[in-house]
Amino acid sequence: MDWQPEPESLQQLIQLLNSTNMADNAIQQQNNQRLEQLSQVPDFINYLLYVLVCMKDESSLVRTVAGLLLKNKVRQDFKQIPRSVLEYVVSKSIDGIGDPITMVRHTLGTVVATVVALGKVSSWPDVLPRLLQLLDSGDYTVVEGSWDILHKICEECDQELEEPLADGTRPLSVMIPKFLTFFGAESPVLREYAISTTTLFVTLRSESMQPMMDTFVVELFKRANDENAEVLKSVCKAVVALVDSRPDKLMPELENVVNYMIHTTQHSDPDIAMEACEFWLSFCEQKELVESLKPFLNRVVPTLMRGMVYSEEDLLMLDNDDNDAVVPDSDQDIRPRHHRARTHDQHQGDAGSDGESDGGDDSDDDSDDDLDDYYAEWSLRKCSAASLDVMSTAFGDQILDFVLPVLREELASDDWRVKEAGVLALGAIADGCMSGMGPHMPSLLPYLVQWFKHEKALVRSIACWSASRYGKWAIYGAEPNTVKVYFEPLLAGLLEAMMDTSKRVQEAACSAFATIEEDAGPYMAPYIQPVLETLARAFGLYQRKNLIILYDAVGTLAEAVGPELNQPQYVQLLMPTILERWENLQTYDQHMFPLFECLSAIALALGSGFKPYAQPIYERSVQIVGETLQMCQQASQDPSIDAPNKDLVIVALDLISSIVQALGEESQGLIAQHNCVALQLVGMCMVDAETDVRQSAFALLGDLAMHCFALIQPQLGEIMQQLVPQIDYNYQHLN
């Protein structure tokens, strides 16, 4: 006989579940406390399961919340839950998989997949055969629910499904043939499940998938003209997966494949077109394949360039306020920042970046931008631009025969969206076609600079980005008086654009400026005065998000001009603003990371000129390292305490290192303060669990050895005991 709930307890639980969507925070807290108390009841899992599976008269919201609480409870206490209880949960959940409410079915699927993933596939040998058997049910809801579970298990347990079970069979060798039979299912939902689930194992280069690859390709292309949008998107994703993992299966029919992908890249549904566009990006990244695309460039290139035009949907989703410079940023506008070695790849960006920087986010993430939550996502426009960028790198000037005719047409268009797409394309081909574009730049670059003042902020911002991609040509190009004729107007135009009334344009201009000052290096020296004047004005104008880029631009200037910055008039323009920020920022403000990096670059550029500012900056840096390490120690002993971000330790150590390099032997006085507390902290950081903390500590130790050896000499034996065991010749990053 099945377990039965106690009616009064069940009613209490239902009342709590019904009130979970109430907006009153006080009630929510009371509910959470009561649920926490109930979760300690031995049969709590059974109560949640009963609500999810059996109480069909309750709302789908109540049943779904019960299911999510059940999933969380299983995940949290899995090792303590008796096997018999877990078996009951799995059995009853699969029994209920034919529920008429999709949300409930999928919640049941999540519960089953969670148990199987945590307990390993081999521990639940009856689950997969039962689900595969249910795929033959005549009840659509049962089949759809079974597919949902199977898809989730395949996502969570992909490696385990390759491993033989007790009877020697590999689960995938049974599952994949069954999946393939559903490519032609009557229901588009089931077709999409079958294609997307099987594609997982194409992407993973599954050994079990290989004998069935030919059948997969045949069945896949039977769906090439499917009338359902979700199925078509899955078909496109599958073709891209084949490009990445088994291109040999496409090459015999390459012309037909290319024709299909060109057609689908122009689909009226932008989501389908975007998935198809991924094909070009993936194909051009395969060096052994890319040349085979050459006969089709005359059709592919114009298709990609047309895909760069803003759609009406894009524009509706974008915030197009051209006069928002005085509007404060919300915390959601700013991505969490993580420290890394100072590079400026974020300025160069991929062609899909649309002239907007990433606000200093990790370069491992796609260099997409976050001016708008929507636009931080991948789009047809970005994918088209990135594909053209990669294609230009692969084929170089060979693609200009196909780019230039479309480019001339777009740049001359009266439709600002078409013109903007042309400017984006111009920037996208910069790296790959710089030499071929050289003869055209004397006329094109002045136009780009003019468009810094276009009436549309989207045109102004993309013009800044595109122009920055040709910064090296403006400095080192073959034209007479290149710097005077091209670089100076470009620099002046960007400095003016940095003060734009649109935050979008400010961001693009400031990022573009950082790119060209890095490219220019010492050529920036004659322009330090007007640059610093603009930067000082920008500090008074920019909101929080763009200030992050501004700090980076200041640091890049310091790196570019080096000791040339150490002039009294320049120091007087720069340091009061930077010091004001330093003194007023709270320790854990997001701006502390870029400000630390900015000050490190300034210290190295000023050298001994940094001495008047060194002591308070050094002391606060040491204090931050000490406090953060102490808080980390407390958090390790008390789970209720949140550990602080150790990136703050890294940037503080790097700044101390820069101060030591800047002051040389004169830094000994600072280091000797408070019984050489900095050396003690360096010793702690050298054995820290985080590699990046140790790396910065070792770097600082090296600078101290060069400039303050007398201070570290008494501790040399202890330092060597910490240092030598960590030398790992196989780990270049650390050494």
Side-chain angles (χ1 to χ4, degrees):
M1 180 177 176
D2 277 352
W3 176 92
Q4 293 295 316
E6 195 278 317
E8 184 177 345
S9 297
L10 179 63
Q11 192 56 39
Q12 290 180 16
L13 177 60
I14 294 296
Q15 289 175 352
L16 284 172
L17 295 175
N18 267 309
S19 58
T20 54
N21 62 339
M22 296 185 67
D24 191 311
N25 288 333
I27 294 177
Q28 287 281 16
Q29 288 181 348
Q30 291 174 8
N31 288 341
N32 290 338
Q33 291 172 1
R34 182 63 182 139
L35 282 170
E36 181 62 30
Q37 293 171 358
L38 285 175
S39 70
Q40 305 308 313
V41 175
D43 285 345
F44 184 60
I45 285 179
N46 287 355
Y47 276 96
L48 293 173
L49 183 65
Y50 187 86
V51 174
L52 174 61
V53 176
C54 301
M55 301 197 71
K56 299 184 184 296
D57 292 336
E58 290 295 334
S59 71
S60 59
L61 177 62
V62 165
R63 297 175 67 195
T64 300
V65 171
L68 294 176
L69 289 172
L70 173 58
K71 182 262 295 183
N72 291 338
K73 180 69 174 174
V74 167
R75 187 177 295 277
Q76 177 183 326
D77 298 335
F78 184 79
K79 292 183 178 179
Q80 287 75 46
I81 300 173
R83 170 76 185 198
S84 60
V85 174
L86 292 173
E87 288 176 346
Y88 184 68
V89 168
V90 170
S91 176
K92 293 296 290 183
S93 295
I94 296 179
D95 286 345
I97 206 63
D99 196 280
I101 300 173
T102 302
M103 186 162 60
V104 172
R105 288 201 303 275
H106 291 182
T107 305
L108 287 164
T110 299
V111 170
V112 175
T114 299
V115 174
V116 172
L118 292 173
K120 306 302 181 185
V121 171
S122 57
S123 299
W124 298 93
D126 298 331
V127 169
L128 291 177
R130 185 178 178 192
L131 291 171
L132 291 174
Q133 184 180 23
L134 289 174
L135 292 182
D136 294 327
S137 170
D139 184 338
Y140 168 79
T141 57
V142 170
V143 178
E144 194 277 342
S146 301
W147 260 116
D148 180 69
I149 302 178
L150 285 165
H151 183 80
K152 289 169 179 171
I153 290 176
C154 288
E155 285 186 318
E156 295 287 337
C157 311
D158 52 85
Q159 297 299 327
E160 289 180 71
L161 294 173
E162 287 276 26
E163 299 171 5
L165 297 178
D167 62 1
T169 62
R170 294 184 178 185
L172 283 181
S173 64
V174 178
M175 295 165 70
I176 291 174
K178 187 71 173 180
F179 293 172
L180 291 172
T181 66
F182 276 82
F183 278 37
E186 182 178 350
S187 165
V189 173
L190 303 184
R191 296 199 297 273
E192 194 279 329
Y193 266 128
I195 295 171
S196 62
T197 306
T198 311
T199 300
L200 288 172
F201 301 105
V202 177
T203 302
L204 294 168
R205 297 177 170 84
S206 160
E207 185 177 341
S208 300
M209 183 73 212
Q210 302 314 309
M212 290 166 275
M213 195 64 75
D214 288 337
T215 305
F216 171 77
V217 173
V218 170
E219 295 300 321
L220 178 68
F221 279 102
K222 287 180 182 178
R223 310 313 318 163
N225 296 306
D226 200 286
E227 68 278 5
N228 181 268
E230 294 304 314
V231 174
L232 269 184
K233 283 190 279 187
S234 290
V235 169
C236 291
K237 290 177 182 177
V239 175
V240 173
L242 286 169
V243 170
D244 290 335
S245 59
R246 287 298 304 270
D248 57 300
K249 297 299 180 182
L250 296 177
M251 296 309 289
E253 295 291 333
L254 182 61
E255 183 173 0
N256 290 331
V257 172
V258 167
N259 288 336
Y260 172 70
M261 299 312 291
I262 289 174
H263 172 75
T264 313
T265 302
Q266 300 173 80
H267 199 282
S268 58
D269 184 326
D271 293 332
I272 294 173
M274 183 186 71
E275 296 297 347
C277 191
E278 291 279 0
F279 173 84
W280 313 112
L281 189 57
S282 294
F283 201 97
C284 290
E285 288 175 342
Q286 306 289 331
K287 293 182 180 179
E288 67 278 9
L289 302 180
V290 68
E291 277 297 317
S292 59
L293 197 60
K294 191 173 180 179
F296 310 103
L297 291 178
N298 62 324
R299 296 165 55 215
V300 175
V301 168
T303 299
L304 293 176
M305 294 180 71
R306 284 192 291 270
M308 296 182 206
V309 179
Y310 276 118
S311 68
E312 293 293 342
E313 184 181 9
D314 290 337
L315 296 177
L316 286 173
M317 298 297 291
L318 282 169
D319 178 6
N320 286 316
D321 187 353
D322 283 9
N323 296 286
D324 61 352
V326 298
V327 179
D329 293 329
S330 67
D331 290 340
Q332 289 75 22
D333 292 328
I334 307 172
R335 288 183 180 179
R337 181 183 176 89
H338 304 284
H339 175 66
R340 65 187 186 283
R342 274 184 61 84
T343 66
H344 295 281
D345 292 344
Q346 65 266 33
H347 302 309
Q348 297 288 355
D350 290 340
S353 66
D354 292 359
E356 301 158 3
S357 82
D358 63 1
D361 200 17
D362 281 350
S363 57
D364 288 342
D365 297 333
D366 291 335
S367 58
D368 304 332
D369 330 296
D370 61 337
L371 271 182
D372 306 272
D373 287 342
Y374 162 80
Y375 213 69
E377 298 176 0
W378 201 230
S379 66
L380 173 61
R381 169 186 166 79
K382 284 189 173 184
C383 189
S384 297
S387 298
L388 185 63
D389 187 348
V390 175
M391 201 169 287
S392 70
T393 301
F395 291 102
D397 295 342
Q398 298 176 69
I399 71 166
L400 290 181
D401 288 342
F402 317 113
V403 170
L404 290 177
V406 183
L407 187 62
R408 292 189 189 100
E409 179 183 326
E410 290 185 339
L411 295 180
S413 174
D414 293 330
D415 185 335
W416 73 266
R417 295 182 305 165
V418 176
K419 186 187 298 289
E420 194 273 352
V423 177
L424 174 58
L426 180 60
I429 64 172
D431 281 353
C433 304
M434 184 66 74
S435 60
M437 288 302 297
H440 304 279
M441 292 316 298
S443 59
L444 285 176
L445 190 58
Y447 271 114
L448 287 176
V449 174
Q450 285 181 22
W451 289 330
F452 294 174
K453 299 180 180 180
H454 195 277
E455 62 178 341
K456 293 290 185 180
L458 290 170
V459 176
R460 299 199 297 274
S461 63
I462 200 64
C464 290
W465 172 78
S466 186
S468 73
R469 302 269 283 182
Y470 292 94
K472 289 182 180 178
W473 178 89
I475 303 162
Y476 307 108
E479 296 293 315
N481 301 316
T482 299
V483 170
K484 188 75 175 175
V485 176
Y486 300 107
F487 178 72
E488 289 185 1
L490 172 60
L491 177 60
L494 287 175
L495 292 177
E496 184 176 352
M498 286 172 63
M499 308 306 296
D500 199 277
T501 58
S502 163
K503 288 192 285 189
R504 180 190 305 278
V505 179
Q506 292 173 5
E507 182 179 13
C510 194
S511 295
F513 166 70
T515 295
I516 70 162
E517 63 180 341
E518 183 179 35
D519 289 340
Y523 282 91
M524 287 296 300
Y527 314 105
I528 295 176
Q529 183 77 23
V531 166
L532 288 177
E533 290 172 353
T534 300
L535 294 175
R537 289 168 55 211
F539 271 111
L541 174 65
Y542 283 13
Q543 302 300 325
R544 285 181 56 80
K545 181 183 176 184
N546 285 348
L547 280 173
I548 293 174
I549 307 167
L550 191 59
Y551 287 127
D552 195 55
V554 173
T556 305
L557 176 69
E559 292 173 345
V561 300
E564 293 290 335
L565 190 62
N566 191 23
Q567 302 293 329
Q569 68 273 25
Y570 301 154
V571 174
Q572 196 56 42
L573 261 176
L574 176 62
M575 290 308 295
T577 299
I578 299 296
L579 290 175
E580 180 184 4
R581 303 275 168 178
W582 172 259
E583 292 164 1
N584 293 331
L585 276 179
Q586 297 296 313
T587 297
Y588 295 101
D589 191 294
Q590 285 177 300
H591 282 193
M592 284 301 287
F593 293 100
L595 183 53
F596 264 113
E597 295 170 345
C598 176
L599 277 167
S600 293
I602 291 172
L604 291 173
L606 296 185
S608 60
F610 194 74
K611 186 175 182 180
Y613 315 103
Q615 178 141 349
I617 293 174
Y618 168 80
E619 289 178 350
R620 187 177 184 189
S621 300
V622 171
Q623 180 184 0
I624 287 172
V625 173
E627 289 177 351
T628 306
L629 292 177
Q630 184 178 15
M631 291 172 65
C632 289
Q633 179 66 24
Q634 292 171 350
S636 68
Q637 298 170 353
D638 184 351
S640 67
I641 300 176
D642 292 332
N645 189 343
K646 279 191 181 178
D647 283 359
L648 205 54
V649 173
I650 298 169
V651 290
L653 290 171
D654 291 348
L655 178 52
I656 295 171
S657 185
S658 295
I659 292 173
V660 171
Q661 292 179 63
L663 302 188
E665 293 184 358
E666 291 185 82
S667 63
Q668 291 189 43
L670 290 175
I671 304 300
Q673 290 179 357
H674 309 298
N675 296 318
C676 295
V677 64
L679 294 183
Q680 300 172 34
L681 295 174
V682 170
M684 295 170 62
C685 291
M686 285 168 55
V687 293
D688 192 90
E690 292 194 17
T691 301
D692 288 340
V693 173
R694 300 202 306 274
Q695 178 180 337
S696 289
F698 293 146
L700 175 53
L701 178 65
D703 291 324
L704 292 170
M706 286 189 287
H707 303 293
C708 308
F709 187 74
L711 296 178
I712 68 170
Q713 189 171 15
Q715 304 177 38
L716 205 54
E718 182 180 347
I719 289 172
M720 287 301 174
Q721 287 180 353
Q722 295 173 332
L723 180 61
V724 171
Q726 297 195 58
I727 296 176
D728 182 352
Y729 294 102
N730 296 316
Y731 195 25
Q732 187 176 1
H733 179 60
L734 192 60
N735 294 326

